[in-house]
Amino acid sequence: MDMTLDQIITQARSESLKIHRLDNHSGLQVLKLETPKASLVLHLQGAHVSSFIPRGADDILWLSSLAEFAPGKAIRGGIPLCWPWFGKHPKQAELAQHGFARNSLFKLIDIRTIEQDNALVTLELTDTAQTRTIFPFAFKLTVELLISTSLTIKLITTNLSRLPLPLSQAIHTYFNLQDIYNTQLTGLEAAPFYDQLSGKDDNETSSVITFKKETDRIYRTCNAQLIIDDSARQITIQQSGDDSTVVWNPWVEKSLRMSDFPDDGYVEMLCVEAANTGDKLLLQPGDCYELSQTIGLEE
Ligand code: BG6
């Protein structure tokens, strides 16, 4: 028989892994995990990490002060998972942007301590009658979180249907910055990109990207290795399984238009997303695909 959430938590607790429930008044299940190396807050809805703090540091993740925590609502900030499509649905514009995983309740499968006081959390989402009405495939989406001094988040998609499964996705990480006006992003030099604002393709000519206006770009990269330097610290990002890196900052006007986003929130955040965009990924029956992003601080 499957273990309950509390049984999994009780069994996983140890000297080096503290786990508390922070469930909220609207019934969302929320866990706080603390190891000697870091602490992390996880919402089972969306397998959504809303905070990751390496010991002694400030949060690596930005969370909107106006974020809504309610069943069926995507959380603004942290790490939303866009799955099984990124952006608008390729054929049905009426379907929710970025897919349904970020609003779906995941099942907690396991929490365990692994070598050197690291912790591994495994969650799962599988198809239901409801998901099959908008995404007619049998699937398993496994999310693994490896909590060390860095955080690795891995999305493993398995196609359990008899038909090829089209997939696009993103690990949509909101990074917490001191000041976007003094921030540099490196690792995308010479990369071709699609500018979602102008609808045009271009090539990155700068070795260092700075931010002075709304930015919404899909860089065509694989296994990107990036650094965000906000002049207070350097955040490192390593990706695998990605065919794109999405870089997004809403800037002034779009911030004003989003009800769950503070007017000046754009100054303190930058999204850098490990993604598979477009229509290139088609998983054959029985196939698995892994996308991951590791985030940490330069020592
Ligand atoms: C980014 C997209 O990934 O997500 C942007 O490139 C979009 O176009 C942003 O505005 C936020 O999306 P949402 O659905 O969370 O408001």
Side-chain angles (χ1 to χ4, degrees), residues 184-228:
Q184 299 185 331
L185 173 65
T186 51
L188 293 168
E189 40 275 43
F193 67 84
Y194 174 71
D195 189 324
Q196 302 228 78
L197 300 171
S198 66
K200 291 190 179 139
D201 288 302
D202 210 336
N203 272 298
E204 185 56 61
T205 49
S206 331
S207 56
V208 165
I209 299 171
T210 54
F211 300 89
K212 296 183 183 66
K213 58 180 182 181
E214 183 178 357
T215 304
D216 192 351
R217 293 177 175 180
I218 300 176
Y219 284 89
R220 314 287 184 200
T221 55
C222 291
N223 302 322
Q225 310 267 322
L226 310 160
I227 295 178
I228 301 173

Short mmCIF file of all heavy atoms in Angstrom, two decimals, residues 184-228:
data_model
loop_
_atom_site.label_atom_id
_atom_site.label_comp_id
_atom_site.label_asym_id
_atom_site.label_seq_id
_atom_site.Cartn_x
_atom_site.Cartn_y
_atom_site.Cartn_z
N GLN A 184 24.36 41.24 -14.88
CA GLN A 184 24.90 40.75 -16.14
C GLN A 184 24.65 39.25 -16.23
O GLN A 184 24.82 38.53 -15.24
CB GLN A 184 26.42 40.97 -16.19
CG GLN A 184 26.81 42.43 -16.09
CD GLN A 184 28.31 42.62 -16.25
OE1 GLN A 184 29.08 41.73 -15.91
NE2 GLN A 184 28.69 43.76 -16.78
N LEU A 185 24.27 38.83 -17.41
CA LEU A 185 24.08 37.39 -17.66
C LEU A 185 25.12 36.97 -18.69
O LEU A 185 25.21 37.57 -19.76
CB LEU A 185 22.66 37.16 -18.18
CG LEU A 185 22.32 35.75 -18.66
CD1 LEU A 185 22.37 34.73 -17.51
CD2 LEU A 185 20.92 35.73 -19.30
N THR A 186 25.90 35.94 -18.35
CA THR A 186 26.90 35.47 -19.32
C THR A 186 26.65 34.00 -19.65
O THR A 186 26.04 33.27 -18.88
CB THR A 186 28.35 35.62 -18.80
OG1 THR A 186 28.41 35.03 -17.50
CG2 THR A 186 28.80 37.04 -18.72
N GLY A 187 27.14 33.59 -20.82
CA GLY A 187 27.03 32.19 -21.25
C GLY A 187 26.19 32.05 -22.52
O GLY A 187 25.99 30.94 -23.00
N LEU A 188 25.69 33.17 -23.04
CA LEU A 188 24.85 33.07 -24.23
C LEU A 188 25.47 33.79 -25.43
O LEU A 188 24.79 34.05 -26.43
CB LEU A 188 23.46 33.66 -23.93
CG LEU A 188 22.64 32.86 -22.90
CD1 LEU A 188 21.41 33.63 -22.45
CD2 LEU A 188 22.23 31.50 -23.48
N GLU A 189 26.79 34.07 -25.31
CA GLU A 189 27.42 34.81 -26.39
C GLU A 189 27.33 34.03 -27.71
O GLU A 189 27.50 32.83 -27.73
CB GLU A 189 28.89 35.19 -26.07
CG GLU A 189 29.73 34.16 -25.38
CD GLU A 189 29.56 34.19 -23.85
OE1 GLU A 189 28.41 34.31 -23.37
OE2 GLU A 189 30.58 34.06 -23.18
N ALA A 190 27.01 34.77 -28.76
CA ALA A 190 26.91 34.24 -30.13
C ALA A 190 25.71 33.30 -30.34
O ALA A 190 25.54 32.73 -31.42
CB ALA A 190 28.19 33.54 -30.55
N ALA A 191 24.85 33.14 -29.31
CA ALA A 191 23.71 32.23 -29.49
C ALA A 191 22.63 32.89 -30.35
O ALA A 191 22.29 34.05 -30.16
CB ALA A 191 23.12 31.86 -28.14
N PRO A 192 22.05 32.13 -31.29
CA PRO A 192 20.90 32.65 -32.00
C PRO A 192 19.70 32.71 -31.06
O PRO A 192 19.61 31.90 -30.13
CB PRO A 192 20.65 31.61 -33.10
CG PRO A 192 21.47 30.43 -32.78
CD PRO A 192 22.44 30.78 -31.70
N PHE A 193 18.83 33.69 -31.25
CA PHE A 193 17.64 33.73 -30.40
C PHE A 193 16.42 34.20 -31.18
O PHE A 193 16.54 34.84 -32.23
CB PHE A 193 17.86 34.61 -29.15
CG PHE A 193 18.04 36.09 -29.42
CD1 PHE A 193 16.95 36.93 -29.57
CD2 PHE A 193 19.31 36.65 -29.50
CE1 PHE A 193 17.11 38.30 -29.79
CE2 PHE A 193 19.49 38.01 -29.73
CZ PHE A 193 18.39 38.84 -29.87
N TYR A 194 15.25 33.84 -30.63
CA TYR A 194 13.98 34.34 -31.15
C TYR A 194 13.46 35.35 -30.14
O TYR A 194 13.35 35.04 -28.95
CB TYR A 194 12.99 33.18 -31.31
CG TYR A 194 11.61 33.64 -31.70
CD1 TYR A 194 11.36 34.15 -32.98
CD2 TYR A 194 10.55 33.59 -30.79
CE1 TYR A 194 10.10 34.59 -33.33
CE2 TYR A 194 9.29 34.04 -31.15
CZ TYR A 194 9.07 34.54 -32.42
OH TYR A 194 7.82 34.99 -32.77
N ASP A 195 13.20 36.57 -30.61
CA ASP A 195 12.70 37.61 -29.72
C ASP A 195 11.17 37.53 -29.72
O ASP A 195 10.53 37.81 -30.73
CB ASP A 195 13.18 38.98 -30.23
CG ASP A 195 12.87 40.07 -29.22
OD1 ASP A 195 11.80 39.99 -28.58
OD2 ASP A 195 13.69 40.99 -29.08
N GLN A 196 10.61 37.13 -28.57
CA GLN A 196 9.14 36.95 -28.50
C GLN A 196 8.40 38.28 -28.58
O GLN A 196 7.21 38.29 -28.83
CB GLN A 196 8.76 36.26 -27.18
CG GLN A 196 9.44 34.92 -26.98
CD GLN A 196 8.44 33.86 -26.55
OE1 GLN A 196 7.70 33.33 -27.36
NE2 GLN A 196 8.43 33.56 -25.28
N LEU A 197 9.10 39.40 -28.34
CA LEU A 197 8.43 40.70 -28.37
C LEU A 197 8.34 41.23 -29.80
O LEU A 197 7.31 41.74 -30.22
CB LEU A 197 9.17 41.69 -27.46
CG LEU A 197 9.23 41.24 -25.98
CD1 LEU A 197 10.14 42.14 -25.18
CD2 LEU A 197 7.83 41.19 -25.37
N SER A 198 9.44 41.08 -30.57
CA SER A 198 9.42 41.61 -31.94
C SER A 198 8.99 40.54 -32.94
O SER A 198 8.66 40.84 -34.09
CB SER A 198 10.81 42.12 -32.33
OG SER A 198 11.71 41.01 -32.39
N GLY A 199 9.03 39.26 -32.51
CA GLY A 199 8.71 38.17 -33.43
C GLY A 199 9.82 37.90 -34.43
O GLY A 199 9.60 37.28 -35.47
N LYS A 200 11.05 38.38 -34.11
CA LYS A 200 12.15 38.23 -35.07
C LYS A 200 13.27 37.35 -34.52
O LYS A 200 13.49 37.30 -33.31
CB LYS A 200 12.75 39.59 -35.39
CG LYS A 200 11.81 40.45 -36.19
CD LYS A 200 12.51 41.68 -36.69
CE LYS A 200 11.52 42.52 -37.51
NZ LYS A 200 11.63 43.93 -37.26
N ASP A 201 13.99 36.71 -35.44
CA ASP A 201 15.19 35.95 -35.06
C ASP A 201 16.38 36.88 -35.12
O ASP A 201 16.43 37.82 -35.91
CB ASP A 201 15.41 34.79 -36.05
CG ASP A 201 14.38 33.70 -35.84
OD1 ASP A 201 14.30 33.17 -34.72
OD2 ASP A 201 13.63 33.40 -36.80
N ASP A 202 17.36 36.58 -34.25
CA ASP A 202 18.55 37.42 -34.20
C ASP A 202 19.70 36.60 -33.64
O ASP A 202 19.50 35.44 -33.29
CB ASP A 202 18.28 38.64 -33.29
CG ASP A 202 19.07 39.86 -33.69
OD1 ASP A 202 20.12 39.69 -34.34
OD2 ASP A 202 18.63 40.98 -33.35
N ASN A 203 20.87 37.21 -33.52
CA ASN A 203 22.02 36.55 -32.89
C ASN A 203 22.54 37.42 -31.77
O ASN A 203 22.62 38.65 -31.94
CB ASN A 203 23.16 36.38 -33.90
CG ASN A 203 23.00 35.09 -34.66
OD1 ASN A 203 23.02 34.01 -34.08
ND2 ASN A 203 22.80 35.22 -35.95
N GLU A 204 22.90 36.81 -30.66
CA GLU A 204 23.44 37.60 -29.55
C GLU A 204 24.85 38.06 -29.91
O GLU A 204 25.71 37.25 -30.23
CB GLU A 204 23.47 36.74 -28.26
CG GLU A 204 23.89 37.51 -27.03
CD GLU A 204 23.01 38.72 -26.80
OE1 GLU A 204 21.80 38.57 -26.61
OE2 GLU A 204 23.55 39.86 -26.83
N THR A 205 25.07 39.35 -29.87
CA THR A 205 26.39 39.86 -30.24
C THR A 205 27.23 40.19 -29.00
O THR A 205 28.45 40.22 -29.08
CB THR A 205 26.25 41.14 -31.10
OG1 THR A 205 25.34 42.00 -30.43
CG2 THR A 205 25.75 40.82 -32.50
N SER A 206 26.58 40.39 -27.84
CA SER A 206 27.36 40.75 -26.65
C SER A 206 27.81 39.50 -25.91
O SER A 206 27.10 38.50 -25.87
CB SER A 206 26.54 41.57 -25.66
OG SER A 206 25.57 42.29 -26.31
N SER A 207 28.99 39.60 -25.28
CA SER A 207 29.43 38.47 -24.45
C SER A 207 28.73 38.53 -23.10
O SER A 207 28.63 37.54 -22.39
CB SER A 207 30.95 38.49 -24.29
OG SER A 207 31.33 39.73 -23.77
N VAL A 208 28.25 39.74 -22.76
CA VAL A 208 27.57 39.92 -21.48
C VAL A 208 26.21 40.56 -21.76
O VAL A 208 26.15 41.58 -22.45
CB VAL A 208 28.42 40.88 -20.60
CG1 VAL A 208 27.64 41.41 -19.44
CG2 VAL A 208 29.68 40.17 -20.13
N ILE A 209 25.14 39.97 -21.27
CA ILE A 209 23.81 40.55 -21.51
C ILE A 209 23.43 41.42 -20.31
O ILE A 209 23.55 40.98 -19.16
CB ILE A 209 22.77 39.44 -21.72
CG1 ILE A 209 23.17 38.61 -22.94
CG2 ILE A 209 21.37 40.01 -21.89
CD1 ILE A 209 22.34 37.36 -23.14
N THR A 210 23.01 42.65 -20.59
CA THR A 210 22.52 43.53 -19.52
C THR A 210 21.05 43.84 -19.83
O THR A 210 20.56 43.54 -20.92
CB THR A 210 23.34 44.83 -19.44
OG1 THR A 210 23.34 45.44 -20.73
CG2 THR A 210 24.78 44.56 -19.00
N PHE A 211 20.37 44.47 -18.87
CA PHE A 211 18.92 44.62 -19.00
C PHE A 211 18.52 46.09 -18.84
O PHE A 211 18.81 46.71 -17.82
CB PHE A 211 18.22 43.73 -17.97
CG PHE A 211 18.57 42.28 -18.18
CD1 PHE A 211 19.68 41.71 -17.56
CD2 PHE A 211 17.83 41.50 -19.06
CE1 PHE A 211 20.05 40.39 -17.80
CE2 PHE A 211 18.19 40.17 -19.30
CZ PHE A 211 19.30 39.63 -18.66
N LYS A 212 17.84 46.60 -19.89
CA LYS A 212 17.42 48.01 -19.86
C LYS A 212 15.98 48.16 -20.30
O LYS A 212 15.46 49.25 -20.38
CB LYS A 212 18.31 48.83 -20.80
CG LYS A 212 19.76 48.84 -20.36
CD LYS A 212 20.62 49.72 -21.25
CE LYS A 212 22.06 49.66 -20.83
NZ LYS A 212 22.66 48.32 -21.03
N LYS A 213 15.34 47.04 -20.64
CA LYS A 213 13.95 47.09 -21.12
C LYS A 213 13.34 45.69 -21.03
O LYS A 213 14.05 44.73 -20.69
CB LYS A 213 13.91 47.58 -22.57
CG LYS A 213 14.73 46.73 -23.49
CD LYS A 213 14.67 47.25 -24.91
CE LYS A 213 15.49 46.29 -25.77
NZ LYS A 213 15.61 46.57 -27.12
N GLU A 214 12.04 45.61 -21.35
CA GLU A 214 11.38 44.31 -21.33
C GLU A 214 12.16 43.33 -22.21
O GLU A 214 12.57 43.68 -23.32
CB GLU A 214 9.93 44.45 -21.85
CG GLU A 214 9.17 43.15 -21.78
CD GLU A 214 7.71 43.29 -22.24
OE1 GLU A 214 7.27 44.41 -22.58
OE2 GLU A 214 7.03 42.25 -22.28
N THR A 215 12.35 42.14 -21.69
CA THR A 215 13.14 41.14 -22.41
C THR A 215 12.37 39.83 -22.38
O THR A 215 11.91 39.39 -21.32
CB THR A 215 14.51 40.94 -21.69
OG1 THR A 215 15.14 42.21 -21.60
CG2 THR A 215 15.41 39.97 -22.44
N ASP A 216 12.21 39.21 -23.54
CA ASP A 216 11.51 37.92 -23.61
C ASP A 216 12.08 37.18 -24.82
O ASP A 216 11.60 37.35 -25.94
CB ASP A 216 9.99 38.17 -23.75
CG ASP A 216 9.18 36.90 -23.54
OD1 ASP A 216 9.78 35.81 -23.45
OD2 ASP A 216 7.94 37.01 -23.45
N ARG A 217 13.15 36.42 -24.56
CA ARG A 217 13.89 35.81 -25.67
C ARG A 217 14.05 34.31 -25.47
O ARG A 217 14.26 33.86 -24.34
CB ARG A 217 15.28 36.41 -25.76
CG ARG A 217 15.26 37.86 -26.15
CD ARG A 217 16.67 38.41 -26.14
NE ARG A 217 16.67 39.78 -26.63
CZ ARG A 217 17.76 40.52 -26.74
NH1 ARG A 217 18.93 40.03 -26.37
NH2 ARG A 217 17.68 41.75 -27.19
N ILE A 218 14.00 33.60 -26.57
CA ILE A 218 14.29 32.17 -26.54
C ILE A 218 15.63 31.95 -27.23
O ILE A 218 15.73 32.06 -28.46
CB ILE A 218 13.17 31.38 -27.27
CG1 ILE A 218 11.82 31.63 -26.60
CG2 ILE A 218 13.52 29.90 -27.30
CD1 ILE A 218 10.64 30.97 -27.32
N TYR A 219 16.66 31.73 -26.43
CA TYR A 219 17.99 31.47 -26.99
C TYR A 219 18.08 30.00 -27.37
O TYR A 219 17.66 29.13 -26.60
CB TYR A 219 19.08 31.79 -25.96
CG TYR A 219 19.30 33.28 -25.80
CD1 TYR A 219 18.56 34.02 -24.88
CD2 TYR A 219 20.23 33.95 -26.57
CE1 TYR A 219 18.75 35.39 -24.74
CE2 TYR A 219 20.43 35.32 -26.44
CZ TYR A 219 19.69 36.02 -25.53
OH TYR A 219 19.87 37.38 -25.41
N ARG A 220 18.62 29.73 -28.54
CA ARG A 220 18.77 28.33 -29.00
C ARG A 220 20.09 27.81 -28.48
O ARG A 220 21.14 28.03 -29.08
CB ARG A 220 18.78 28.26 -30.54
CG ARG A 220 17.69 29.07 -31.21
CD ARG A 220 16.34 28.42 -31.03
NE ARG A 220 15.31 29.16 -31.75
CZ ARG A 220 14.02 29.07 -31.48
NH1 ARG A 220 13.59 28.30 -30.49
NH2 ARG A 220 13.15 29.75 -32.18
N THR A 221 20.05 27.16 -27.35
CA THR A 221 21.28 26.64 -26.73
C THR A 221 21.04 25.20 -26.31
O THR A 221 19.90 24.81 -26.09
CB THR A 221 21.60 27.42 -25.45
OG1 THR A 221 20.44 27.36 -24.60
CG2 THR A 221 21.95 28.85 -25.72
N CYS A 222 22.12 24.45 -26.17
CA CYS A 222 22.02 23.11 -25.58
C CYS A 222 22.99 23.06 -24.42
O CYS A 222 24.09 23.63 -24.50
CB CYS A 222 22.45 22.05 -26.59
SG CYS A 222 21.30 21.89 -27.92
N ASN A 223 22.61 22.38 -23.35
CA ASN A 223 23.49 22.23 -22.19
C ASN A 223 24.10 23.56 -21.76
O ASN A 223 25.32 23.67 -21.57
CB ASN A 223 24.61 21.22 -22.49
CG ASN A 223 24.04 19.87 -22.87
OD1 ASN A 223 23.04 19.43 -22.30
ND2 ASN A 223 24.63 19.24 -23.85
N ALA A 224 23.27 24.58 -21.63
CA ALA A 224 23.77 25.92 -21.31
C ALA A 224 24.43 25.96 -19.93
O ALA A 224 23.99 25.28 -19.00
CB ALA A 224 22.62 26.91 -21.36
N GLN A 225 25.51 26.73 -19.84
CA GLN A 225 26.23 26.98 -18.59
C GLN A 225 26.26 28.49 -18.44
O GLN A 225 26.89 29.17 -19.25
CB GLN A 225 27.69 26.51 -18.70
CG GLN A 225 27.87 25.10 -19.23
CD GLN A 225 27.94 24.10 -18.10
OE1 GLN A 225 28.51 24.37 -17.06
NE2 GLN A 225 27.33 22.95 -18.30
N LEU A 226 25.58 29.01 -17.43
CA LEU A 226 25.34 30.45 -17.37
C LEU A 226 25.74 31.00 -16.01
O LEU A 226 25.77 30.26 -15.02
CB LEU A 226 23.85 30.73 -17.60
CG LEU A 226 23.23 30.06 -18.83
CD1 LEU A 226 21.73 30.00 -18.70
CD2 LEU A 226 23.62 30.79 -20.08
N ILE A 227 26.01 32.30 -15.99
CA ILE A 227 26.23 32.97 -14.70
C ILE A 227 25.42 34.26 -14.68
O ILE A 227 25.45 35.04 -15.65
CB ILE A 227 27.73 33.29 -14.48
CG1 ILE A 227 28.52 31.98 -14.36
CG2 ILE A 227 27.94 34.14 -13.23
CD1 ILE A 227 30.01 32.16 -14.19
N ILE A 228 24.68 34.44 -13.58
CA ILE A 228 24.02 35.74 -13.35
C ILE A 228 24.85 36.45 -12.29
O ILE A 228 25.04 35.93 -11.19
CB ILE A 228 22.59 35.57 -12.80
CG1 ILE A 228 21.71 34.76 -13.76
CG2 ILE A 228 21.97 36.93 -12.52
CD1 ILE A 228 20.33 34.42 -13.18
#
